[in-house]
Amino acid sequence: MNLDLLKTEWQARDKGLEQAVRLNTQMLRLSLLEQHRRDIRKWGWTDKYEIIAGTPVLIYLIWFLSHYITDLKFALPALTILAWTIAMPLLNHQQRHALQDLDFAQPITSVQRQLAELKAGRLKLFKWAFLLGQIVWFIPFLLVLFKGVFGVDLYQKTENFILPSLMVSLMFIPLAIGISKLLSGRLSRSTSFQALTDSLAGEDYKQTRHFLKTLAQFEAMPAESKTNATSSH
C-alpha cells in the first residue's frame, strides 16, 4: 500500500476516533447534568421537609429553654436537640449549594470526581445522622417532651431511665450496621429499603470511594492511553 494512502487512512481513523470520544464525552456530560438536576430537585424537597418539620420543634425548644434553662438536667438535653435541629439543615443546605454551584464546563473527569466526592459526603452524613439520631431523638427528646408537655420528670418517675435507654441506643448502632450488611444486596424487590441498607452498611460509600480511586488512576494516565481506554468503552 502506498505510504501516503496509509497515512491518509490513519489520519481518517484518528479523526473518527476523536469524534467518537468527543460524542461519548458529550453524552456523558448530558447524562451527568440530568442526574445533577434530579439530585437538586430531590434535595429541594428535603430542605422543605426539614423546614416544615423543624420549625415547630425549634419553637418548642426555645419555649422550653426559656422555662428550664437553669435546670441543667433538662436544659442540656434541650440544647442537644436544638444543636441537632440547627446543624443538620445547615449541613444539608451546604451540600446542596455545593452541588448547585458545580461547573459543568470543567473537564468531564473533574465533574465526575466532584460529583462523586459530594455523593460520598452525602452518604456519610446520612449514615451517621440516622444512627446517631437514635440517641439524640430517643433519650433527650423524651425527657424534654414529657417535662414540657405533661410536666412529668422522667428522671424521677422512671427508675433507671437514662442508663438503660442509653445502652439500647448505643447498641442500636452496631446492630443496625450489622443487619444492614447482612441484608445488603438481598432486597432487590424493595428498592427503597435496599438503598437504606446499602447506605447504613457503607456499601454505597465504598463503591463511591472505589470509583474516585479508579478516576484518579484514569486521570494519571497519559493522554494517548486515556483515548484508547475511552474508545474501548
Side-chain angles (χ1 to χ4, degrees), residues 168-227:
V168 170
S169 298
L170 291 174
M171 288 174 60
F172 173 84
I173 296 176
L175 183 63
I177 294 176
I179 293 175
S180 297
K181 288 183 177 180
L182 182 65
L183 296 178
S184 181
R186 301 182 182 182
L187 300 170
S188 57
R189 293 184 179 180
S190 178
T191 55
S192 298
F193 198 66
Q194 178 68 71
L196 175 62
T197 57
D198 286 348
S199 296
L200 295 182
E203 294 303 318
D204 286 347
Y205 182 77
K206 290 179 184 177
Q207 292 174 9
T208 304
R209 299 306 304 179
H210 177 71
F211 174 75
L212 282 169
K213 183 179 179 181
T214 304
L215 192 60
Q217 292 173 346
F218 177 79
E219 289 181 314
M221 292 170 61
E224 183 179 353
S225 299
K226 288 182 183 180
T227 301

Short mmCIF file of all heavy atoms in Angstrom, two decimals, residues 168-227:
data_model
loop_
_atom_site.label_atom_id
_atom_site.label_comp_id
_atom_site.label_asym_id
_atom_site.label_seq_id
_atom_site.Cartn_x
_atom_site.Cartn_y
_atom_site.Cartn_z
N VAL A 168 -29.49 0.93 75.11
CA VAL A 168 -30.27 0.48 73.96
C VAL A 168 -29.93 1.29 72.71
O VAL A 168 -29.76 0.75 71.61
CB VAL A 168 -31.79 0.57 74.26
CG1 VAL A 168 -32.61 0.34 72.99
CG2 VAL A 168 -32.18 -0.45 75.32
N SER A 169 -29.81 2.60 72.88
CA SER A 169 -29.50 3.48 71.76
C SER A 169 -28.11 3.19 71.20
O SER A 169 -27.92 3.16 69.97
CB SER A 169 -29.60 4.95 72.19
OG SER A 169 -30.90 5.26 72.61
N LEU A 170 -27.15 2.97 72.09
CA LEU A 170 -25.78 2.69 71.64
C LEU A 170 -25.68 1.32 70.97
O LEU A 170 -24.96 1.16 69.98
CB LEU A 170 -24.81 2.76 72.82
CG LEU A 170 -24.56 4.16 73.41
CD1 LEU A 170 -23.70 4.08 74.66
CD2 LEU A 170 -23.91 5.07 72.38
N MET A 171 -26.44 0.36 71.49
CA MET A 171 -26.44 -0.98 70.90
C MET A 171 -27.11 -0.97 69.52
O MET A 171 -26.81 -1.81 68.68
CB MET A 171 -27.15 -1.97 71.82
CG MET A 171 -26.37 -2.33 73.08
SD MET A 171 -27.34 -3.36 74.21
CE MET A 171 -27.67 -4.79 73.16
N PHE A 172 -28.00 -0.01 69.31
CA PHE A 172 -28.71 0.06 68.04
C PHE A 172 -27.75 0.32 66.88
O PHE A 172 -27.95 -0.20 65.77
CB PHE A 172 -29.76 1.18 68.09
CG PHE A 172 -30.43 1.44 66.77
CD1 PHE A 172 -31.51 0.68 66.35
CD2 PHE A 172 -29.97 2.46 65.93
CE1 PHE A 172 -32.11 0.91 65.12
CE2 PHE A 172 -30.57 2.70 64.71
CZ PHE A 172 -31.65 1.92 64.31
N ILE A 173 -26.68 1.10 67.14
CA ILE A 173 -25.77 1.50 66.06
C ILE A 173 -25.06 0.30 65.45
O ILE A 173 -25.19 0.05 64.24
CB ILE A 173 -24.77 2.56 66.57
CG1 ILE A 173 -25.52 3.83 66.98
CG2 ILE A 173 -23.73 2.86 65.50
CD1 ILE A 173 -24.64 4.90 67.58
N PRO A 174 -24.30 -0.51 66.24
CA PRO A 174 -23.65 -1.67 65.60
C PRO A 174 -24.66 -2.71 65.11
O PRO A 174 -24.41 -3.40 64.11
CB PRO A 174 -22.76 -2.24 66.72
CG PRO A 174 -23.38 -1.75 67.98
CD PRO A 174 -23.96 -0.41 67.66
N LEU A 175 -25.81 -2.82 65.81
CA LEU A 175 -26.82 -3.79 65.39
C LEU A 175 -27.39 -3.41 64.03
O LEU A 175 -27.55 -4.26 63.14
CB LEU A 175 -27.94 -3.85 66.43
CG LEU A 175 -29.05 -4.87 66.16
CD1 LEU A 175 -28.47 -6.29 66.18
CD2 LEU A 175 -30.16 -4.75 67.21
N ALA A 176 -27.69 -2.11 63.85
CA ALA A 176 -28.24 -1.64 62.57
C ALA A 176 -27.22 -1.82 61.45
O ALA A 176 -27.58 -2.23 60.33
CB ALA A 176 -28.65 -0.18 62.69
N ILE A 177 -25.96 -1.54 61.73
CA ILE A 177 -24.91 -1.71 60.71
C ILE A 177 -24.76 -3.18 60.35
O ILE A 177 -24.66 -3.55 59.17
CB ILE A 177 -23.57 -1.13 61.20
CG1 ILE A 177 -23.68 0.40 61.36
CG2 ILE A 177 -22.45 -1.48 60.24
CD1 ILE A 177 -22.44 1.04 61.94
N GLY A 178 -24.76 -4.06 61.37
CA GLY A 178 -24.61 -5.48 61.14
C GLY A 178 -25.75 -6.06 60.32
O GLY A 178 -25.53 -6.83 59.36
N ILE A 179 -26.99 -5.70 60.67
CA ILE A 179 -28.16 -6.19 59.93
C ILE A 179 -28.15 -5.66 58.51
O ILE A 179 -28.49 -6.36 57.55
CB ILE A 179 -29.47 -5.79 60.66
CG1 ILE A 179 -29.57 -6.53 61.99
CG2 ILE A 179 -30.69 -6.09 59.79
CD1 ILE A 179 -30.76 -6.12 62.83
N SER A 180 -27.74 -4.39 58.35
CA SER A 180 -27.68 -3.79 57.02
C SER A 180 -26.67 -4.51 56.14
O SER A 180 -26.92 -4.74 54.95
CB SER A 180 -27.34 -2.30 57.13
OG SER A 180 -28.35 -1.61 57.83
N LYS A 181 -25.51 -4.87 56.71
CA LYS A 181 -24.51 -5.61 55.94
C LYS A 181 -25.04 -6.99 55.54
O LYS A 181 -24.75 -7.49 54.45
CB LYS A 181 -23.22 -5.74 56.75
CG LYS A 181 -22.44 -4.44 56.89
CD LYS A 181 -21.14 -4.65 57.64
CE LYS A 181 -20.34 -3.35 57.70
NZ LYS A 181 -19.07 -3.51 58.43
N LEU A 182 -25.82 -7.59 56.46
CA LEU A 182 -26.38 -8.91 56.19
C LEU A 182 -27.41 -8.85 55.06
O LEU A 182 -27.48 -9.74 54.21
CB LEU A 182 -27.02 -9.47 57.46
CG LEU A 182 -27.62 -10.87 57.37
CD1 LEU A 182 -26.52 -11.89 57.10
CD2 LEU A 182 -28.36 -11.22 58.66
N LEU A 183 -28.23 -7.78 55.06
CA LEU A 183 -29.32 -7.67 54.09
C LEU A 183 -28.91 -6.96 52.81
O LEU A 183 -29.64 -7.01 51.82
CB LEU A 183 -30.50 -6.91 54.71
CG LEU A 183 -31.19 -7.58 55.91
CD1 LEU A 183 -32.29 -6.70 56.44
CD2 LEU A 183 -31.75 -8.95 55.51
N SER A 184 -27.77 -6.28 52.83
CA SER A 184 -27.35 -5.51 51.66
C SER A 184 -27.19 -6.40 50.44
O SER A 184 -26.52 -7.44 50.48
CB SER A 184 -26.01 -4.81 51.95
OG SER A 184 -25.61 -4.04 50.86
N GLY A 185 -27.87 -6.02 49.35
CA GLY A 185 -27.81 -6.79 48.12
C GLY A 185 -28.81 -7.91 48.04
O GLY A 185 -28.86 -8.63 47.04
N ARG A 186 -29.65 -8.08 49.06
CA ARG A 186 -30.61 -9.19 49.07
C ARG A 186 -32.07 -8.72 49.04
O ARG A 186 -32.97 -9.52 49.24
CB ARG A 186 -30.39 -10.04 50.32
CG ARG A 186 -28.99 -10.62 50.43
CD ARG A 186 -28.84 -11.48 51.65
NE ARG A 186 -27.46 -12.00 51.78
CZ ARG A 186 -27.05 -12.81 52.76
NH1 ARG A 186 -27.91 -13.21 53.69
NH2 ARG A 186 -25.80 -13.23 52.78
N LEU A 187 -32.27 -7.43 48.83
CA LEU A 187 -33.64 -6.89 48.89
C LEU A 187 -33.99 -6.22 47.57
O LEU A 187 -34.46 -5.08 47.55
CB LEU A 187 -33.76 -5.89 50.05
CG LEU A 187 -33.45 -6.46 51.44
CD1 LEU A 187 -33.36 -5.34 52.46
CD2 LEU A 187 -34.52 -7.46 51.85
N SER A 188 -33.77 -6.91 46.49
CA SER A 188 -33.99 -6.33 45.17
C SER A 188 -35.44 -5.94 44.93
O SER A 188 -35.73 -5.08 44.11
CB SER A 188 -33.53 -7.30 44.08
OG SER A 188 -34.20 -8.55 44.21
N ARG A 189 -36.37 -6.57 45.62
CA ARG A 189 -37.79 -6.27 45.41
C ARG A 189 -38.22 -4.99 46.12
O ARG A 189 -39.27 -4.43 45.83
CB ARG A 189 -38.66 -7.43 45.91
CG ARG A 189 -38.50 -8.71 45.09
CD ARG A 189 -39.46 -9.78 45.57
NE ARG A 189 -39.33 -11.01 44.77
CZ ARG A 189 -40.04 -12.10 44.97
NH1 ARG A 189 -40.95 -12.12 45.96
NH2 ARG A 189 -39.87 -13.16 44.21
N SER A 190 -37.43 -4.55 47.06
CA SER A 190 -37.74 -3.32 47.80
C SER A 190 -36.59 -2.34 47.60
O SER A 190 -35.62 -2.35 48.36
CB SER A 190 -37.95 -3.61 49.28
OG SER A 190 -38.19 -2.41 50.01
N THR A 191 -36.68 -1.52 46.56
CA THR A 191 -35.57 -0.65 46.21
C THR A 191 -35.27 0.39 47.30
O THR A 191 -34.11 0.70 47.56
CB THR A 191 -35.87 0.07 44.89
OG1 THR A 191 -37.13 0.75 45.00
CG2 THR A 191 -35.96 -0.93 43.74
N SER A 192 -36.32 0.93 47.93
CA SER A 192 -36.10 1.95 48.97
C SER A 192 -35.38 1.36 50.17
O SER A 192 -34.42 1.95 50.69
CB SER A 192 -37.44 2.54 49.40
OG SER A 192 -38.07 3.18 48.31
N PHE A 193 -35.85 0.19 50.62
CA PHE A 193 -35.22 -0.43 51.79
C PHE A 193 -33.83 -0.93 51.44
O PHE A 193 -32.92 -0.91 52.27
CB PHE A 193 -36.08 -1.59 52.31
CG PHE A 193 -35.75 -2.00 53.71
CD1 PHE A 193 -35.98 -1.13 54.77
CD2 PHE A 193 -35.20 -3.23 53.98
CE1 PHE A 193 -35.67 -1.49 56.07
CE2 PHE A 193 -34.88 -3.61 55.28
CZ PHE A 193 -35.12 -2.73 56.33
N GLN A 194 -33.66 -1.38 50.19
CA GLN A 194 -32.33 -1.81 49.73
C GLN A 194 -31.35 -0.64 49.78
O GLN A 194 -30.21 -0.78 50.21
CB GLN A 194 -32.42 -2.35 48.31
CG GLN A 194 -31.08 -2.78 47.73
CD GLN A 194 -30.52 -3.99 48.42
OE1 GLN A 194 -31.03 -5.09 48.27
NE2 GLN A 194 -29.46 -3.80 49.21
N ALA A 195 -31.81 0.53 49.33
CA ALA A 195 -30.96 1.72 49.36
C ALA A 195 -30.58 2.09 50.79
O ALA A 195 -29.44 2.49 51.06
CB ALA A 195 -31.67 2.89 48.69
N LEU A 196 -31.54 1.93 51.72
CA LEU A 196 -31.27 2.25 53.12
C LEU A 196 -30.23 1.29 53.69
O LEU A 196 -29.27 1.73 54.34
CB LEU A 196 -32.56 2.16 53.94
CG LEU A 196 -32.42 2.35 55.46
CD1 LEU A 196 -31.88 3.74 55.78
CD2 LEU A 196 -33.75 2.10 56.17
N THR A 197 -30.39 -0.01 53.46
CA THR A 197 -29.44 -0.98 53.99
C THR A 197 -28.06 -0.80 53.37
O THR A 197 -27.03 -0.92 54.06
CB THR A 197 -29.92 -2.42 53.76
OG1 THR A 197 -30.15 -2.64 52.36
CG2 THR A 197 -31.20 -2.69 54.52
N ASP A 198 -28.01 -0.48 52.09
CA ASP A 198 -26.71 -0.24 51.44
C ASP A 198 -26.02 0.97 52.05
O ASP A 198 -24.79 0.97 52.24
CB ASP A 198 -26.90 -0.03 49.93
CG ASP A 198 -27.22 -1.32 49.20
OD1 ASP A 198 -27.08 -2.40 49.81
OD2 ASP A 198 -27.65 -1.25 48.04
N SER A 199 -26.79 2.02 52.34
CA SER A 199 -26.22 3.24 52.92
C SER A 199 -25.70 2.98 54.33
O SER A 199 -24.58 3.39 54.68
CB SER A 199 -27.27 4.35 52.95
OG SER A 199 -27.66 4.71 51.64
N LEU A 200 -26.50 2.27 55.15
CA LEU A 200 -26.08 2.00 56.53
C LEU A 200 -24.91 1.02 56.57
O LEU A 200 -24.04 1.13 57.45
CB LEU A 200 -27.26 1.44 57.34
CG LEU A 200 -28.45 2.39 57.54
CD1 LEU A 200 -29.52 1.72 58.39
CD2 LEU A 200 -28.01 3.70 58.18
N ALA A 201 -24.90 0.07 55.65
CA ALA A 201 -23.80 -0.90 55.61
C ALA A 201 -22.52 -0.29 55.06
O ALA A 201 -21.44 -0.87 55.19
CB ALA A 201 -24.21 -2.10 54.77
N GLY A 202 -22.64 0.87 54.44
CA GLY A 202 -21.47 1.54 53.88
C GLY A 202 -21.11 1.06 52.49
O GLY A 202 -20.06 1.44 51.95
N GLU A 203 -21.99 0.24 51.86
CA GLU A 203 -21.68 -0.30 50.54
C GLU A 203 -21.64 0.81 49.49
O GLU A 203 -20.76 0.83 48.63
CB GLU A 203 -22.70 -1.37 50.15
CG GLU A 203 -22.65 -2.62 51.02
CD GLU A 203 -21.28 -3.27 51.01
OE1 GLU A 203 -20.67 -3.34 49.92
OE2 GLU A 203 -20.81 -3.69 52.08
N ASP A 204 -22.64 1.71 49.52
CA ASP A 204 -22.67 2.81 48.57
C ASP A 204 -21.43 3.69 48.71
O ASP A 204 -20.85 4.15 47.73
CB ASP A 204 -23.92 3.67 48.77
CG ASP A 204 -25.17 2.97 48.26
OD1 ASP A 204 -25.03 1.97 47.55
OD2 ASP A 204 -26.28 3.43 48.59
N TYR A 205 -21.03 3.92 49.96
CA TYR A 205 -19.86 4.76 50.23
C TYR A 205 -18.59 4.08 49.69
O TYR A 205 -17.74 4.73 49.08
CB TYR A 205 -19.73 5.01 51.72
CG TYR A 205 -18.58 5.92 52.11
CD1 TYR A 205 -18.67 7.29 51.94
CD2 TYR A 205 -17.40 5.39 52.62
CE1 TYR A 205 -17.62 8.13 52.28
CE2 TYR A 205 -16.34 6.21 52.97
CZ TYR A 205 -16.46 7.58 52.79
OH TYR A 205 -15.42 8.40 53.12
N LYS A 206 -18.48 2.77 49.89
CA LYS A 206 -17.32 2.02 49.40
C LYS A 206 -17.25 2.08 47.88
O LYS A 206 -16.17 2.27 47.29
CB LYS A 206 -17.39 0.57 49.86
CG LYS A 206 -17.16 0.37 51.35
CD LYS A 206 -17.29 -1.10 51.71
CE LYS A 206 -17.15 -1.32 53.21
NZ LYS A 206 -17.35 -2.75 53.56
N GLN A 207 -18.40 1.91 47.23
CA GLN A 207 -18.44 1.96 45.76
C GLN A 207 -18.03 3.34 45.24
O GLN A 207 -17.32 3.45 44.24
CB GLN A 207 -19.84 1.60 45.27
CG GLN A 207 -20.23 0.15 45.51
CD GLN A 207 -21.67 -0.13 45.14
OE1 GLN A 207 -22.35 0.70 44.55
NE2 GLN A 207 -22.15 -1.31 45.50
N THR A 208 -18.50 4.37 45.94
CA THR A 208 -18.16 5.73 45.52
C THR A 208 -16.67 6.00 45.70
O THR A 208 -16.03 6.59 44.82
CB THR A 208 -18.97 6.75 46.33
OG1 THR A 208 -20.37 6.48 46.18
CG2 THR A 208 -18.69 8.17 45.86
N ARG A 209 -16.09 5.55 46.82
CA ARG A 209 -14.66 5.73 47.04
C ARG A 209 -13.84 4.92 46.01
O ARG A 209 -12.80 5.38 45.54
CB ARG A 209 -14.26 5.28 48.45
CG ARG A 209 -14.93 6.05 49.59
CD ARG A 209 -14.77 7.55 49.49
NE ARG A 209 -13.38 7.96 49.41
CZ ARG A 209 -12.99 9.23 49.30
NH1 ARG A 209 -13.89 10.20 49.24
NH2 ARG A 209 -11.71 9.54 49.25
N HIS A 210 -14.34 3.74 45.67
CA HIS A 210 -13.65 2.93 44.65
C HIS A 210 -13.69 3.64 43.30
O HIS A 210 -12.68 3.63 42.56
CB HIS A 210 -14.31 1.56 44.54
CG HIS A 210 -13.72 0.69 43.47
ND1 HIS A 210 -12.47 0.12 43.57
CD2 HIS A 210 -14.20 0.30 42.25
CE1 HIS A 210 -12.20 -0.58 42.49
NE2 HIS A 210 -13.24 -0.48 41.66
N PHE A 211 -14.82 4.25 42.98
CA PHE A 211 -14.94 5.00 41.73
C PHE A 211 -13.97 6.17 41.71
O PHE A 211 -13.32 6.45 40.70
CB PHE A 211 -16.37 5.50 41.54
CG PHE A 211 -16.54 6.39 40.34
CD1 PHE A 211 -16.56 5.86 39.06
CD2 PHE A 211 -16.68 7.77 40.49
CE1 PHE A 211 -16.70 6.69 37.95
CE2 PHE A 211 -16.84 8.59 39.39
CZ PHE A 211 -16.84 8.05 38.11
N LEU A 212 -13.83 6.88 42.84
CA LEU A 212 -12.90 8.00 42.93
C LEU A 212 -11.46 7.53 42.73
O LEU A 212 -10.66 8.20 42.07
CB LEU A 212 -13.05 8.70 44.28
CG LEU A 212 -14.25 9.63 44.43
CD1 LEU A 212 -14.43 10.03 45.90
CD2 LEU A 212 -14.08 10.87 43.56
N LYS A 213 -11.15 6.36 43.29
CA LYS A 213 -9.80 5.81 43.13
C LYS A 213 -9.53 5.46 41.67
O LYS A 213 -8.46 5.76 41.12
CB LYS A 213 -9.64 4.56 44.01
CG LYS A 213 -8.25 3.95 43.96
CD LYS A 213 -8.16 2.74 44.87
CE LYS A 213 -6.77 2.11 44.80
NZ LYS A 213 -6.68 0.90 45.69
N THR A 214 -10.53 4.83 41.02
CA THR A 214 -10.39 4.48 39.61
C THR A 214 -10.25 5.73 38.74
O THR A 214 -9.45 5.78 37.81
CB THR A 214 -11.61 3.67 39.14
OG1 THR A 214 -11.75 2.51 39.98
CG2 THR A 214 -11.46 3.23 37.70
N LEU A 215 -11.04 6.75 39.09
CA LEU A 215 -10.99 8.01 38.34
C LEU A 215 -9.63 8.68 38.48
O LEU A 215 -9.09 9.23 37.51
CB LEU A 215 -12.10 8.94 38.82
CG LEU A 215 -12.40 10.18 37.98
CD1 LEU A 215 -12.82 9.77 36.57
CD2 LEU A 215 -13.48 11.01 38.63
N ALA A 216 -9.07 8.64 39.69
CA ALA A 216 -7.74 9.22 39.92
C ALA A 216 -6.69 8.49 39.09
O ALA A 216 -5.77 9.11 38.54
CB ALA A 216 -7.40 9.16 41.40
N GLN A 217 -6.81 7.16 39.00
CA GLN A 217 -5.87 6.38 38.19
C GLN A 217 -6.01 6.74 36.71
O GLN A 217 -5.02 6.83 35.99
CB GLN A 217 -6.13 4.89 38.40
CG GLN A 217 -5.77 4.40 39.80
CD GLN A 217 -6.19 2.96 40.04
OE1 GLN A 217 -6.97 2.39 39.27
NE2 GLN A 217 -5.67 2.36 41.09
N PHE A 218 -7.26 6.95 36.27
CA PHE A 218 -7.50 7.33 34.88
C PHE A 218 -6.90 8.70 34.57
O PHE A 218 -6.29 8.90 33.52
CB PHE A 218 -9.00 7.34 34.60
CG PHE A 218 -9.36 7.77 33.21
CD1 PHE A 218 -9.24 6.90 32.14
CD2 PHE A 218 -9.81 9.07 32.96
CE1 PHE A 218 -9.56 7.30 30.84
CE2 PHE A 218 -10.13 9.48 31.67
CZ PHE A 218 -10.00 8.58 30.61
N GLU A 219 -7.06 9.65 35.51
CA GLU A 219 -6.54 10.99 35.30
C GLU A 219 -5.01 10.99 35.25
O GLU A 219 -4.40 11.86 34.62
CB GLU A 219 -7.03 11.94 36.40
CG GLU A 219 -8.51 12.26 36.30
CD GLU A 219 -8.97 13.21 37.40
OE1 GLU A 219 -8.61 12.99 38.57
OE2 GLU A 219 -9.69 14.16 37.09
N ALA A 220 -4.39 10.01 35.91
CA ALA A 220 -2.93 9.94 35.93
C ALA A 220 -2.36 9.27 34.68
O ALA A 220 -1.15 9.30 34.45
CB ALA A 220 -2.46 9.17 37.16
N MET A 221 -3.24 8.69 33.85
CA MET A 221 -2.78 8.02 32.63
C MET A 221 -2.34 9.04 31.58
O MET A 221 -2.83 10.17 31.56
CB MET A 221 -3.91 7.15 32.05
CG MET A 221 -4.29 5.95 32.90
SD MET A 221 -5.81 5.16 32.30
CE MET A 221 -5.32 4.70 30.63
N PRO A 222 -1.42 8.65 30.68
CA PRO A 222 -1.06 9.53 29.55
C PRO A 222 -2.27 9.77 28.66
O PRO A 222 -3.20 8.97 28.62
CB PRO A 222 0.02 8.72 28.82
CG PRO A 222 0.52 7.73 29.81
CD PRO A 222 -0.63 7.43 30.71
N ALA A 223 -2.26 10.87 27.92
CA ALA A 223 -3.39 11.25 27.08
C ALA A 223 -3.73 10.16 26.07
O ALA A 223 -4.90 9.87 25.82
CB ALA A 223 -3.10 12.57 26.37
N GLU A 224 -2.72 9.55 25.46
CA GLU A 224 -2.97 8.52 24.46
C GLU A 224 -3.66 7.31 25.05
O GLU A 224 -4.59 6.74 24.48
CB GLU A 224 -1.63 8.09 23.83
CG GLU A 224 -1.81 7.06 22.71
CD GLU A 224 -0.48 6.67 22.08
OE1 GLU A 224 0.54 7.31 22.43
OE2 GLU A 224 -0.47 5.75 21.27
N SER A 225 -3.23 6.92 26.27
CA SER A 225 -3.86 5.78 26.95
C SER A 225 -5.30 6.09 27.31
O SER A 225 -6.16 5.22 27.26
CB SER A 225 -3.06 5.42 28.20
OG SER A 225 -1.74 5.07 27.86
N LYS A 226 -5.57 7.35 27.71
CA LYS A 226 -6.94 7.75 28.02
C LYS A 226 -7.84 7.59 26.81
O LYS A 226 -8.96 7.10 26.89
CB LYS A 226 -6.97 9.21 28.50
CG LYS A 226 -6.39 9.45 29.87
CD LYS A 226 -6.53 10.91 30.25
CE LYS A 226 -5.89 11.20 31.59
NZ LYS A 226 -6.04 12.64 31.95
N THR A 227 -7.34 8.02 25.65
CA THR A 227 -8.14 7.93 24.42
C THR A 227 -8.45 6.49 24.09
O THR A 227 -9.58 6.13 23.76
CB THR A 227 -7.38 8.58 23.26
OG1 THR A 227 -7.12 9.95 23.58
CG2 THR A 227 -8.23 8.55 21.99
#
